[in-house]
């Protein structure tokens, strides 16, 4: 054992202040650490046994009861704000998350930070388990962000909620003033920070539920730049404006505040660009739904309930994305499947009322392939045919791509050719982008139209010739069929003639034989 002996120096040496032996210190410290380790191990063992023997729902109730008891004696009150209210997203949770993101400070231990490419600044959010203190009218309010995992049939689903604690005597202020203030503040923050997003299905399923993933919508399409006939464009804008301002009218007549549009026409006629223009005009998010990823009606229902208000749900190429069986049919021998009736129930059934100010857009290249039940009014309210490029749409494209605001010397010839050929706006745009010089680009497009006209004329002649050949072939087949019938009839007549001759011969023989018998009898 180490010891400190006094030196020969004067009694004022600082070493005289140390104890004569450290043996009185180290054994007590070792005992303390041993006791702490023993208690920690025991607590961890008890926690493991507790978690193994008591299921999670019961543990949650026990902890809730203990917390309530603690709050009762401590004079505190707690409000829990879950992420979901049943299967529907909780608007209060989303508003709280947005509101608290503006209250973070350097004292917060853990924060989630993000920034998209075109965002002006950083975005902060509370990480799980973190706390933050807010103040309202001199009242202190403590928030905590809680996350935990729940295992259901082998799948782990993340659950989240916010916990708000405050003194009991401030309960009326919190419920009637503070929480409405949080909702209003979140609404104002959202309007200021409004960024249009396009949502699509993630690659991962969380438990039994698909999850939307989003990215900033940066499509530049607007109604001003959209290559549409002016009358059609005006009609669409008027219909959208009428829908937006008639919330009370929809409520009065007992209809869900939604609108359905069917966009149909050849590929490249601007269906996707029209959807983007509608989103930019209305400041609505886009939810792009691929039905081939959905396995059952229940999956579709959960997914559609996660769609926010003021949004556009888009199902592109509805005629070929998935073959929806009708009600009562089975796919792969399973009862739980995605059906046409399940989709229709959300578009126009009871589930269509879960959400306001929504637009549903279906696109197709072949309208005639769709089930008539999907097209009736109330489901697809307005059918918009997007056809090939005409002269009015071309002038919009020429202004957008070449800056031509008025007439051009070649526009007359181009108008004639556009009326005689089938060219989509996408093809026109591609041709106009080939040169930056206006005259060169217009002349190049004119040459393209002439070449296209020649190809279409040749194709038309080939089709006409094929029709004539098909007609002649059908006529030859008919003639050959008649010839075969005539030959068969002649063969039948010859056969019948031979049979009659043989029969006549036998009759003559019988008559001769009878005459011989009569003559012999007379003799």
């Amino acid at each position: 054992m180490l010891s400190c002996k006094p030196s020969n120096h004067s009694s004022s040496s600082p070493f005289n202040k140390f104890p004569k032996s450290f043996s009185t210190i180290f054994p007590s410290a070792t005992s303390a650490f041993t006791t702490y380790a023993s208690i920690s191990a025991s607590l961890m063992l008890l926690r493991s046994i507790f978690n193994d023997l008591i299921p999670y729902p019961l543990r949650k109730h026990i902890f809730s009861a203990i917390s309530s008891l603690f709050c009762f004696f401590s004079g505190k009150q707690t409000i829990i704000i879950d992420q979901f209210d049943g299967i529907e997203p909780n608007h209060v949770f989303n508003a709280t998350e947005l509101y608290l993101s503006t209250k973070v400070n350097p004292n917060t231990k853990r924060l989630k930070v993000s920034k998209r490419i075109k965002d002006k600044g950083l975005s902060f959010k509370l990480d799980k388990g973190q706390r933050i203190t807010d103040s309202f009218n001199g009242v202190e309010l403590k928030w905590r962000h809680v996350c935990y995992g729940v295992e259901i049939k082998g799948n782990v689903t993340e659950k989240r909620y916010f916990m708000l604690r405050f003194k009991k005597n401030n309960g009326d202020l919190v419920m009637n003033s503070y929480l409405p203030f949080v909702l209003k503040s979140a609404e104002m923050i959202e309007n200021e920070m409004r960024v249009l997003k396009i949502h699509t299905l993630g690659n991962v399923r969380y438990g039994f539920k698909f999850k939307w993933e989003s990215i900033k919508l940066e499509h530049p399409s607007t109604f001003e730049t959209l290559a549409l006939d002016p009358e059609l464009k005006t009609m669409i804008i008027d219909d959208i404006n009428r829908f937006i301002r008639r919330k009370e009218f929809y409520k009065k007549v007992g209809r869900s505040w939604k609108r359905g549009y069917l966009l149909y026409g050849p590929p490249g006629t601007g269906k996707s660009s029209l959807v983007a223009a509608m989103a930019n005009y209305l400041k609505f998010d886009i939810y792009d739904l691929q039905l081939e990823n959905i396995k059952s009606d229940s999956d579709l229902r959960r997914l559609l309930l996660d769609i926010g208000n003021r949004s556009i749900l888009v199902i592109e190429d509805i005629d070929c994305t998935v073959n929806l069986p009708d009600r009562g049919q089975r796919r792969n021998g399973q009862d739980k499947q995605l059906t046409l009736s399940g989709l229709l129930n959300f578009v126009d059934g009871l589930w269509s009322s879960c959400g306001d100010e929504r637009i549903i857009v279906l696109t197709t290249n072949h309208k005639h392939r769709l089930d008539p039940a999907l097209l009736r009014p109330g489901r697809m309210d307005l059918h918009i045919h997007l056809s090939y490029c005409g002269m009015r749409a071309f002038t919009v494209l020429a202004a957008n791509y070449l800056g031509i605001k008025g007439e051009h010397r070649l526009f007359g010839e181009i108008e004639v050719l556009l009326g005689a050929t089938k060219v989509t706006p996408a093809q026109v745009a591609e041709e106009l982008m080939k040169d930056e010089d206006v005259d060169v680009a217009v002349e190049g497009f004119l040459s393209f139209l002439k070449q296209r006209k020649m190809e279409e004329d040749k194709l038309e002649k080939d089709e006409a010739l094929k029709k004539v050949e098909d007609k002649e072939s059908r006529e030859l087949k008919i003639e050959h069929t008649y010839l075969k019938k005539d030959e068969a009839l002649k063969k039948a007549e010859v056969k019948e003639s031979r049979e009659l001759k043989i029969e006549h011969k036998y009759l003559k023989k019988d008559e001769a034989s009878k005459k011989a018998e009569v003559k012999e009898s007379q003799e």
Side-chain angles (χ1 to χ4, degrees):
M1 184 69 64
L2 294 176
S3 63
C4 294
K5 296 182 179 180
S7 63
N8 295 326
H9 297 285
S10 64
S11 60
S12 63
S13 173
F15 289 98
N16 294 334
K17 298 179 181 180
F18 284 88
K20 295 182 179 180
S21 175
F22 289 111
S23 60
T24 58
I25 297 177
F26 287 147
S28 60
T30 304
S31 301
F33 283 121
T34 303
T35 304
Y36 174 77
S38 177
I39 294 174
S40 298
S42 301
L43 290 175
M44 292 178 66
L45 179 61
L46 289 174
R47 179 184 176 186
S48 178
I49 295 174
F50 184 75
N51 290 339
D52 291 340
L53 295 180
I54 301 178
Y56 171 77
L58 183 57
R59 294 201 309 269
K60 184 178 180 181
H61 287 302
I62 292 174
F63 289 141
S64 178
I66 294 174
S67 178
S68 299
L69 186 63
F70 176 77
C71 291
F72 177 79
F73 287 107
S74 65
K76 299 285 188 178
Q77 188 171 353
T78 303
I79 292 179
I80 301 297
I81 303 174
D82 286 316
Q83 185 178 9
F84 291 94
D85 182 12
I87 59 176
E88 187 176 358
N90 187 354
H91 175 61
V92 182
F93 177 91
N94 297 329
T96 300
E97 186 174 39
L98 182 58
Y99 171 76
L100 292 180
S101 67
T102 64
K103 298 294 180 179
V104 296
N105 55 70
N107 296 326
T108 307
K109 294 181 180 180
R110 289 171 59 88
L111 293 173
K112 295 172 66 176
V113 60
S114 62
K115 182 183 182 301
R116 297 181 177 87
I117 295 176
K118 293 190 176 182
D119 287 348
K120 295 180 180 179
L122 299 176
S123 174
F124 296 94
K125 289 184 179 180
L126 283 180
D127 197 10
K128 57 184 178 181
Q130 294 305 296
R131 306 168 187 265
I132 195 169
T133 302
D134 191 19
S135 178
F136 181 76
N137 290 348
V139 176
E140 186 180 66
L141 303 125
K142 295 184 178 181
W143 289 94
R144 184 185 176 192
H145 184 204
V146 182
C147 300
Y148 60 94
V150 177
E151 185 174 347
I152 304 176
K153 296 183 179 180
N155 296 301
V156 178
T157 302
E158 186 183 61
K159 300 290 186 180
R160 301 168 59 201
Y161 65 86
F162 282 105
M163 180 189 298
L164 172 61
R165 295 192 65 194
F166 50 89
K167 291 183 178 180
K168 277 186 178 181
N169 56 0
N170 295 319
D172 184 68
L173 175 69
V174 171
M175 295 180 186
N176 297 324
S177 299
Y178 179 63
L179 290 180
F181 168 76
V182 170
L183 294 174
K184 188 65 177 178
S185 299
E187 183 180 355
M188 294 173 61
I189 296 169
E190 186 176 9
N191 290 335
E192 291 178 2
M193 302 172 56
R194 180 67 175 168
V195 175
L196 295 186
K197 296 179 181 179
I198 181 168
H199 304 256
T200 187
L201 293 185
N203 295 324
V204 181
R205 264 187 97 178
Y206 295 85
F208 296 97
K209 187 175 174 217
F210 288 96
K211 185 177 180 180
W212 290 106
E213 294 182 350
S214 64
I215 190 171
K216 187 175 181 180
L217 177 64
E218 298 179 330
H219 200 294
S221 179
T222 64
F223 280 111
E224 288 75 17
T225 61
L226 202 59
L228 282 181
D229 186 270
E231 284 79 7
L232 178 60
K233 189 184 299 186
T234 302
M235 184 270 291
I236 296 173
I237 294 174
D238 290 344
D239 188 82
I240 291 174
N241 289 335
R242 188 182 309 111
F243 164 70
I244 293 300
R245 67 173 180 262
R246 300 180 85 183
K247 178 180 180 179
E248 295 302 323
F249 172 79
Y250 276 83
K251 184 178 180 180
K252 183 178 70 173
V253 299
R255 293 188 58 176
S256 300
W257 192 19
K258 65 176 186 59
R259 188 75 171 160
Y261 295 96
L262 175 70
L263 310 183
Y264 67 99
T269 51
K271 294 184 284 292
S272 298
S273 296
L274 177 54
V275 173
M278 293 169 67
N280 287 325
Y281 179 77
L282 295 169
K283 303 301 180 186
F284 279 16
D285 283 357
I286 294 177
Y287 288 81
D288 181 24
L289 179 62
Q290 300 88 29
L291 289 180
E292 63 267 20
N293 296 331
I294 311 301
K295 303 303 180 185
S296 68
D297 288 345
S298 59
D299 283 341
L300 178 66
R301 188 160 49 247
R302 292 190 187 99
L303 198 59
L304 295 178
L305 286 174
D306 283 345
I307 295 177
N309 295 336
R310 297 180 59 81
S311 60
I312 300 176
L313 173 65
V314 182
I315 306 177
E316 293 192 284
D317 298 322
I318 184 67
D319 58 297
C320 59
T321 50
V322 68
N323 183 23
L324 295 176
D326 202 352
R327 185 188 300 271
Q329 295 180 351
R330 294 187 177 185
R331 184 174 61 192
N332 300 329
Q334 297 179 356
D335 291 325
K336 295 182 178 180
Q337 58 174 333
L338 178 64
T339 62
L340 176 62
S341 59
L343 178 61
L344 296 181
N345 189 33
F346 183 82
V347 174
D348 190 37
L350 293 175
W351 289 95
S352 66
S353 59
C354 299
D356 283 333
E357 210 170 1
R358 290 178 178 174
I359 290 177
I360 302 173
V361 178
L362 306 183
T363 73
T364 178
N365 299 332
H366 309 282
K367 181 182 176 181
H368 62 278
R369 295 181 183 177
L370 300 182
D371 193 302
L374 195 61
L375 303 179
R376 69 170 179 79
R379 290 172 178 163
M380 292 296 103
D381 304 289
L382 187 61
H383 298 190
I384 301 174
H385 182 220
L386 301 178
S387 188
Y388 296 102
C389 186
M391 190 59 194
R392 290 184 173 182
F394 170 75
T395 56
V396 175
L397 291 171
N400 292 341
Y401 287 88
L402 302 176
I404 302 176
K405 302 300 182 181
E407 288 292 324
H408 190 277
R409 57 185 175 83
L410 298 178
F411 276 10
E413 194 172 354
I414 288 175
E415 184 175 5
V416 174
L417 289 172
L418 282 175
T421 56
K422 295 179 179 179
V423 182
T424 65
Q427 292 173 317
V428 174
E430 185 64 27
E431 292 298 319
L432 296 181
M433 290 176 62
K434 289 185 176 180
D435 203 293
E436 296 179 358
D437 186 274
V438 174
D439 291 332
V440 174
V442 175
E443 289 172 0
F445 178 65
L446 181 60
S447 300
F448 166 78
L449 286 179
K450 291 178 179 179
Q451 180 66 28
R452 187 69 180 231
K453 182 70 168 59
M454 292 173 59
E455 293 174 357
E456 289 184 1
D457 289 343
K458 183 178 181 303
L459 183 63
E460 188 177 348
K461 288 180 181 179
D462 292 343
E463 289 179 353
L465 181 61
K466 187 178 180 181
K467 287 181 180 179
V468 172
E469 291 175 351
D470 290 343
K471 183 179 179 181
E472 290 178 353
S473 177
R474 286 196 300 270
E475 291 176 350
L476 288 173
K477 286 181 179 179
I478 293 171
E479 185 177 351
H480 183 64
T481 302
Y482 279 117
L483 287 175
K484 282 187 175 181
K485 288 182 178 180
D486 291 341
E487 289 179 2
L489 183 61
K490 287 181 180 179
K491 287 181 180 179
E493 290 175 351
V494 170
K495 182 180 180 181
E496 187 177 356
S497 176
R498 285 200 300 268
E499 290 175 351
L500 288 174
K501 286 180 179 179
I502 293 172
E503 184 178 355
H504 184 64
K505 182 178 180 181
Y506 279 111
L507 287 174
K508 282 186 176 182
K509 285 183 179 181
D510 290 340
E511 288 178 0
S513 177
K514 286 181 180 180
K515 287 180 179 180
E517 290 177 356
V518 170
K519 183 177 180 182
E520 185 177 354
S521 173
Q522 290 176 352
E523 291 177 352

